[in-house]
Amino acid sequence: MTACWFGGYVGHQSETDWPGPKGSRMLWAGRFPVWCSGDWPGSEIRILPGRQRVAVIGACAAGDLTFAARDEHGLVTEHAGSYTVIQATAEELRVFTDLGFAWPVYLARCGSGTVWCSSARMLAGLTGAKPDPAWLAAALIDPSAPAQGSRSPFEGIESVPPGSRICLRPGRPPAITPAVRMTRRSRPEAASALRSALDGCVGTWIRSAKRPGSNISGLDSGSVCMLAVRHVRPPARLTAVTVHPAGRDDGADLSCACRALRHCMPADHWLLPLGPEHLPGTDLDQFLAADEPPPSTFTWSRLAAEFALLARLGIDVHLTGDGGDTLFYPGPGYLADLARSGHWLRLATHTQGWARLQKSSPWPLLARAIRGRDQLPRAPWITGLAAEMAPRIRSRDADYGQLTLLEIQAVGRSARADAQLAETFGIMLRNPFTGSAVIDAALSVPAWERGDPWHYKPLLTDALEGLLPPAIAGRTTKGAFDAEHHRGMRANLPALLSLADGHLAALGLVNPPRLRAAVRNAAAGLPTSFGLLEPTLAAETWLRAIAQAPQHAWSRCEIPITAVQERA
């Protein structure tokens, strides 16, 4: 299976040919051609019948696509799912991008026109663009939300903000405007909207699958799994997968999954035991190229083993719980919002609650809340040049809801890179928590109503009340993997040390001796900020994979038209 992507071209009317990727199929030709590439399921490429050229790409719960012909705010949040709306009129082409960045859209100039595409790497194959050092610098400094704005991982290729409307007209620069207004709801309304959006998103993917699968471990993936099983129609059965350390038949994730499945779910449960060959940092030289460094880069051997298992089982659509922590577990970061808005009693109460939970004094938390958010510290191996090159990412004045939106969009966009890897195994990897309507519902209440010191992800558990078994609803912790990552550093030390002297060092973004020292300290078991160190090693791994991967072939000839079946 090849990676799925889509795009098109808008040029001058006098042009007789246009750039198109080889091996693609046309959704429509004419003045504003649109194409798709890869092995798409029919349910994720739908065209509105009739003269009007309107397409919905991605999972959309709507049975009637007439809504997609409108030109207004909120098209991508109107129905559950993660989808892009494309409209071609006599004068222009319009693209509405999804709110969760699950389907990024990129722009590049080509000759006298503009090529737009859902894959930055494929566009780089057309323009010859190299990885963008400024984007990489931002990704190294703040891995959770790299390079917000118009930058992409490749120079000269523009990233369109999620939840936007792109208007492309011949001879004019692209016009990009916001196309989603976030809704405000009461807590009960938000819980009801969240359940509807999650259930609709999950159901759309499950019903399209020949053999559906889902991760199950804690609350997030367990919630997705519980929703998924409701939409499976016999004789199909859901396949639930749990990874666990080899040689252990207990543990938080495994015990939780087994109890839930044993008592509540008609599903086939498969375990993936992780041995020494799956340690973090293993087999990075076998990593495949993607649009950007995926979140799973450093745990590639584990992810490849999971994809191989899913492929052997015949799974074609697999759901994960990625993004649940970002949406539903804010931590004490929102205390600054309470301070800024003058909710002093609530601030005092919540600060004391977080301090008790962390077994620390409340005064440092209170001081940070009043002072405002600090800039993230720079890792010692990141150079001053990188700090100068990186665009400003987070504003001290942004409220926690805005920051959460940026972070969940970063999850969605980077998870698309994981999905590209899964597609090479013949698997459609999907993340319901990055669905546009799910994000709109979750962020329609303040952070302190999504999580607080006394309840673990209360908005999610309220939304799914009556559905989750006690083994999942009562889950309040996540598995800890620091020891595994220390072992992986130690087992792969020579190969990881070699990553210090590479593309990042040549670009002046990292200090090799300091990076090697950090790797050695991690291998020795010393306290390590894996959230900063591993993204740096992942970025170098990605750059090496990009340098070795063949570029996608493009042609200036018109692609022969192969009609895609129109679906209402």
Side-chain angles (χ1 to χ4, degrees):
M1 180 176 181
T2 56
C4 294
W5 50 300
F6 58 88
Y9 178 71
V10 174
H12 284 292
Q13 189 172 4
S14 60
E15 290 182 294
T16 58
D17 61 3
W18 46 275
K22 292 184 177 179
S24 297
R25 50 182 177 153
M26 299 298 299
L27 300 188
W28 58 72
R31 191 174 181 191
F32 304 126
V34 175
W35 39 259
C36 65
S37 184
D39 301 318
W40 287 85
S43 62
E44 293 199 14
I45 299 282
R46 295 195 289 169
I47 301 175
L48 181 65
R51 294 183 179 179
Q52 209 169 10
R53 290 180 168 178
V54 176
V56 176
I57 298 183
C60 177
D64 181 357
L65 294 187
T66 55
F67 82 97
R70 301 198 303 267
D71 181 17
E72 60 185 35
H73 283 74
L75 291 187
V76 296
T77 56
E78 185 163 337
H79 297 279
S82 295
Y83 56 89
T84 302
V85 174
I86 304 167
Q87 305 168 351
T89 70
E91 297 81 21
E92 65 185 14
L93 183 90
R94 296 190 289 261
V95 181
F96 293 80
T97 60
D98 75 288
L99 181 62
F101 234 174
W103 290 109
V105 172
Y106 302 96
L107 306 175
R109 295 294 299 173
C110 183
S112 60
T114 299
V115 183
W116 61 275
C117 177
S118 64
S119 170
R121 189 169 77 90
M122 299 307 172
L123 272 186
L126 171 66
T127 66
K130 303 299 182 184
D132 183 2
W135 188 94
L136 286 165
L140 299 180
I141 291 172
D142 188 358
S144 66
Q148 300 300 330
S150 62
R151 285 193 178 273
S152 83
F154 295 90
E155 292 181 307
I157 294 176
E158 180 180 357
S159 174
V160 178
S164 294
R165 173 185 182 268
I166 316 163
C167 181
L168 297 168
R169 288 196 172 194
R172 297 185 185 180
I176 302 173
T177 55
V180 174
R181 297 188 184 98
M182 301 297 289
T183 311
R184 291 288 172 238
R185 298 181 176 92
S186 68
R187 171 71 173 276
E189 290 172 338
S192 176
L194 176 60
R195 178 162 183 156
S196 177
L198 264 177
D199 190 56
C201 191
V202 169
T204 300
W205 279 316
I206 293 298
R207 288 191 298 272
S208 70
K210 295 177 181 177
R211 184 165 183 180
S214 175
N215 286 345
I216 181 168
S217 54
L219 178 57
D220 300 331
S221 61
S223 297
V224 169
C225 201
M226 295 295 145
L227 288 169
V229 76
R230 292 157 51 92
H231 294 280
V232 177
R233 296 293 177 262
R237 282 175 64 87
L238 182 73
T239 297
V241 177
T242 304
V243 299
H244 67 99
R248 292 185 56 183
D249 56 3
D250 58 0
D253 287 351
L254 183 56
S255 298
C256 172
C258 290
R259 289 199 305 272
L261 291 166
R262 183 168 57 247
H263 296 298
C264 305
M265 290 183 59
D268 299 321
H269 192 198
W270 285 79
L271 305 181
L272 177 60
L274 301 178
E277 69 275 18
H278 303 125
L279 283 172
T282 302
D283 292 337
L284 295 187
D285 59 334
Q286 300 177 27
F287 182 75
L288 305 175
D291 269 8
E292 63 177 272
S296 61
T297 304
F298 205 71
T299 55
W300 167 242
S301 58
R302 164 183 166 175
L303 186 68
E306 183 174 1
F307 288 160
L309 171 63
L310 296 175
R312 288 196 303 272
L313 297 175
I315 304 302
D316 57 333
V317 176
H318 190 72
L319 307 184
T320 83
D322 291 349
D325 284 342
T326 303
L327 282 182
F328 303 114
Y329 191 66
Y334 67 83
L335 297 176
D337 287 357
L338 293 175
R340 187 167 53 233
S341 59
H343 290 83
W344 302 113
L345 180 58
R346 179 173 282 164
L347 172 64
T349 303
H350 281 237
T351 300
Q352 290 176 346
W354 285 111
R356 290 193 188 99
L357 190 64
Q358 298 175 352
K359 299 180 181 179
S360 62
S361 168
W363 298 112
L365 282 175
L366 186 61
R368 283 198 296 272
I370 295 173
R371 184 175 64 244
R373 295 182 183 86
D374 298 323
Q375 292 296 315
L376 292 175
R378 195 173 86 209
W381 56 86
I382 303 299
T383 64
L385 175 62
E388 293 173 6
M389 294 174 62
R392 187 178 181 85
I393 300 169
R394 298 173 188 253
S395 169
R396 291 174 61 92
D397 299 326
D399 65 40
Y400 203 83
Q402 293 171 316
L403 293 178
T404 303
L405 178 59
L406 292 177
E407 289 176 355
I408 191 62
Q409 288 169 342
V411 170
R413 190 204 64 244
S414 58
R416 176 62 202 142
D418 272 344
Q420 290 173 335
L421 302 179
E423 285 163 5
T424 66
F425 288 79
I427 299 159
M428 310 295 287
L429 191 67
R430 297 295 183 254
N431 305 289
F433 290 121
T434 61
S436 297
V438 170
I439 294 173
D440 179 66
L443 300 187
S444 64
V445 295
W448 52 86
E449 293 191 20
R450 286 182 275 122
D452 58 46
W454 306 281
H455 308 91
Y456 186 66
K457 303 182 180 180
L459 181 61
L460 179 59
T461 53
D462 285 357
L464 302 183
E465 185 177 4
L467 173 66
L468 301 179
I472 290 178
R475 186 75 185 272
T476 60
T477 60
K478 296 180 68 68
F481 298 98
D482 276 8
E484 181 185 64
H485 285 251
H486 283 297
R487 288 195 298 272
M489 289 281 185
R490 186 160 54 250
N492 297 287
L493 184 57
L496 298 179
L497 288 173
S498 72
L499 295 175
D501 292 291
H503 297 274
L504 292 175
L507 293 170
L509 302 182
V510 300
N511 180 301
R514 291 184 177 181
L515 182 54
R516 284 193 293 269
V519 171
R520 288 193 180 97
N521 288 341
L526 298 177
T528 301
S529 178
F530 287 112
L532 292 175
L533 177 57
E534 290 184 357
T536 300
L537 302 175
E540 178 63 32
T541 300
W542 176 74
L543 287 168
R544 296 186 181 193
I546 289 292
Q548 296 170 4
Q551 291 187 333
H552 191 88
W554 291 71
S555 171
R556 284 297 305 184
C557 300
E558 183 174 340
I559 300 175
I561 297 176
T562 303
V564 175
Q565 182 180 0
E566 295 187 356
R567 297 172 183 264

